Amino acid sequence: MADADFYPQWDNCSLNYDLTKYNFPTLVLDVVKEVFPQVDSLETIHEHLVGNQIVALCDHVQNSFARKHFMQLFDQFAEEYIAPKLNGKRYLIKRNPTLNCVIPDQQKYGRRLPFHQGIFYSNGRGMATMWMPLTKTSGTNSMYIAGLEASRKLTLFAIQEKMSQETFEKYCMQISAPVEKMPGEVHLFTQEHIHGNVNNDTLQTRCAVDWHVLVESEEYGMREPGGFFRLPGDHEQSDAQDYSNMIFVAYVGNNTRYDKNIPIHFQRKMINDYCADRGIKHTGFIFENEFLDWLPILKEKILEKPAGIVMLSIHSLPNDKKTANDILHTALDNNVQLHFANELCSLKSEKDLERIETYLSFAVKKKGHYPWEV
C-alpha cells in the first residue's frame, strides 16, 4: 500500500457505528430464521444446530448479502464510515461479505480457523478488512490478532524456518490477543496482520461479518476487481430479467493470463451456474482455439449476432487492451450481450462498458515486494 496514511488507520483500530441505522445483528438473525426458525438468538445457535448445519446457515446468510437491500446497506456504511479514511480514493466493496460463526468447541467439528495473514489467502495489500461482530466477543470465542510489525517479523521468521503449523501457532499466541468487541463496533486491520481462532471454550456462539474494501490503484492479489469486488451501486446481480426465447451461446477459452490455467470443466460449471441462476438456456459451448490470444472465434461469434454470449470473466478478454476494447465495442455495435459469470455482470450499454473498463483498470495484481522477499 503506497498511501502512508493507510496503515495507521487499519493497524488494529476500532470504529463505532450507529447500530440503530445499521442493525446487522437483527437483520442477520432474521435471515437465519428463514431456514432455521428454531434459532432464537445468534449467541445460542449451537443449541439448535449441529456442525454441518452451520455451513448451510453461513451459506444462506452470505447469499442473502447479494440481495439489493443488503448491498445498498453495505454501500451506505462504506460511504459513511470507510470512505473518509481513504483520502478521497475510490474503492470497491467485497461482493459477498463472509459470515464467521464460531460455535463452542468448534475444533471438534474441524471448524477452527488456523492462524494466517490475508496475503496467505490470496488477498492483496490494497484491501482493508472490517471485522464486524454481531455478538459480544471476548476470550476464546473471539478472533485473536497480532500487531502489524510483530506480524511482519513472525511471517518472515516462519518462512525462513519453514515452520510447521503447530510451531507457527505457538509463536502466534505469544504475540496475539483476543478482540474484545460489542455489536456496534468494528475492528479494522490489514492483510499483513496475523490472526486466527483458538478453540472456543465459552458457552456462547460468536458471529461476525468479515468484509473488505479495495482501494483504487492498489494491490488486489488474486481478488480480481469485478469478481470478488464490486463498485458501490453495482447491484446487477440482484436484478431479475427475462431471457426466455433468446439465443445465447456459451464460450470458453484458455488464452489470457487469467484463464489459461483454469480447467475447462471449472469454466463450464461457473457458466452453467450463472445461466441457471438467470434463466438463460444456452445452445451449447464454443471453445476458443489455443494460442490465439486475440480470440478470433469469440469475435466471429459476436458477428453472427446471437442475442448474447456467456463467458467466464471480463478478465478472459484479451490481455491486449486495444484488442479487448475492440471486442467489447463490436458486441455493443452489433447489439450482442456479453455476460460474465465470475463478475455476475453483463455488457448491454455504454454505461456497462464504462463499468467493465473501470474494473479492468482499477487496481494492480501486485505492488512491490512482500516483506519476506529479498
Side-chain angles (χ1 to χ4, degrees), residues 19-167:
L19 192 57
T20 59
K21 184 176 180 180
Y22 302 100
N23 198 341
F24 285 103
T26 298
L27 292 170
V28 168
L29 179 59
D30 288 343
V31 172
V32 170
K33 286 175 173 289
E34 293 174 359
V35 287
F36 298 108
Q38 69 272 34
V39 175
D40 52 10
S41 76
L42 297 177
E43 292 85 353
T44 60
I45 285 174
H46 61 281
E47 297 178 6
H48 304 281
L49 307 179
V50 296
N52 59 350
Q53 291 176 303
I54 304 299
V55 177
L57 181 152
C58 291
D59 285 347
H60 181 69
V61 172
Q62 288 163 191
N63 289 336
S64 79
F65 289 152
R67 299 173 187 174
K68 193 165 189 175
H69 71 92
F70 268 120
M71 289 193 286
Q72 290 172 331
L73 198 63
F74 282 108
D75 288 355
Q76 292 166 9
F77 187 102
E79 183 178 3
E80 183 171 351
Y81 293 105
I82 306 305
K85 298 178 177 294
L86 301 179
N87 290 337
K89 282 193 171 184
R90 292 192 302 172
Y91 57 88
L92 305 181
I93 295 174
K94 185 176 180 179
R95 188 172 288 278
N96 283 96
T98 301
L99 176 67
N100 306 134
C101 188
V102 179
I103 59 176
D105 195 20
Q106 81 274 32
Q107 189 164 285
K108 174 182 176 181
Y109 299 96
R111 288 185 53 84
R112 185 184 69 81
L113 177 69
F115 278 85
H116 65 285
Q117 59 160 287
I119 297 174
F120 292 167
Y121 281 18
S122 301
N123 295 347
R125 287 168 290 183
M127 295 168 53
T129 297
M130 287 76 70
W131 190 77
M132 179 186 293
L134 306 179
T135 58
K136 179 182 177 181
T137 70
S138 62
T140 59
N141 81 13
S142 190
M143 173 181 68
Y144 279 60
I145 191 165
L148 180 59
E149 288 307 317
S151 295
R152 287 170 171 167
K153 290 177 181 178
L154 178 54
T155 300
L156 174 60
F157 184 42
I159 290 175
Q160 289 175 335
E161 297 297 316
K162 300 185 183 300
M163 285 184 186
S164 68
Q165 185 65 20
E166 180 181 8
T167 301

Side-chain angles (χ1 to χ4, degrees), residues 194-358:
I194 288 174
H195 58 286
N197 293 341
V198 299
N199 197 39
N200 180 4
D201 62 12
T202 74
L203 299 178
Q204 183 185 73
T205 293
R206 183 264 289 169
C207 292
V209 174
D210 182 326
W211 57 300
H212 317 279
V213 293
L214 172 65
V215 183
E216 185 175 20
S217 302
E218 297 298 344
E219 179 184 287
Y220 64 79
M222 296 289 287
R223 308 298 194 180
E224 286 84 4
F228 193 81
F229 289 102
R230 62 172 178 84
L231 283 162
D234 181 359
H235 306 148
E236 181 181 348
Q237 69 188 96
S238 68
D239 296 334
Q241 298 191 36
D242 183 8
Y243 294 110
S244 59
N245 301 316
M246 298 174 67
I247 297 175
F248 277 84
V249 175
Y251 167 88
V252 172
N254 289 110
N255 288 291
T256 71
R257 286 187 296 269
Y258 174 78
D259 63 24
K260 66 179 180 180
N261 294 316
I262 300 178
I264 288 175
H265 64 283
F266 286 177
Q267 296 194 46
R268 291 174 63 136
K269 175 70 165 58
M270 286 191 67
I271 290 170
N272 281 334
D273 286 350
Y274 175 90
C275 290
D277 288 344
R278 281 151 188 78
I280 295 174
K281 296 182 178 180
H282 65 75
T283 58
F285 280 92
I286 301 297
F287 300 91
E288 188 60 70
N289 287 329
E290 295 288 333
F291 308 109
L292 307 187
D293 59 7
W294 59 97
L295 311 188
I297 289 178
L298 176 59
K299 181 75 170 289
E300 178 185 55
K301 288 300 167 186
I302 293 172
L303 294 175
E304 290 176 0
K305 298 185 180 182
I309 298 172
V310 186
M311 56 194 293
L312 177 65
S313 171
I314 61 174
H315 302 283
S316 294
L317 293 166
N319 298 329
D320 178 70
K321 185 176 179 180
K322 182 179 179 182
T323 307
N325 284 338
D326 176 63
I327 287 176
L328 292 170
H329 282 92
T330 300
L332 271 183
D333 293 343
N334 286 275
N335 198 31
V336 176
Q337 298 179 14
L338 295 184
H339 287 247
F340 305 98
N342 184 60
E343 292 76 26
L344 305 175
C345 74
S346 59
L347 173 69
K348 302 173 185 175
S349 67
E350 290 289 342
K351 185 177 180 180
D352 294 332
L353 178 61
E354 181 180 348
R355 174 182 50 171
I356 291 168
E357 290 175 340
T358 297

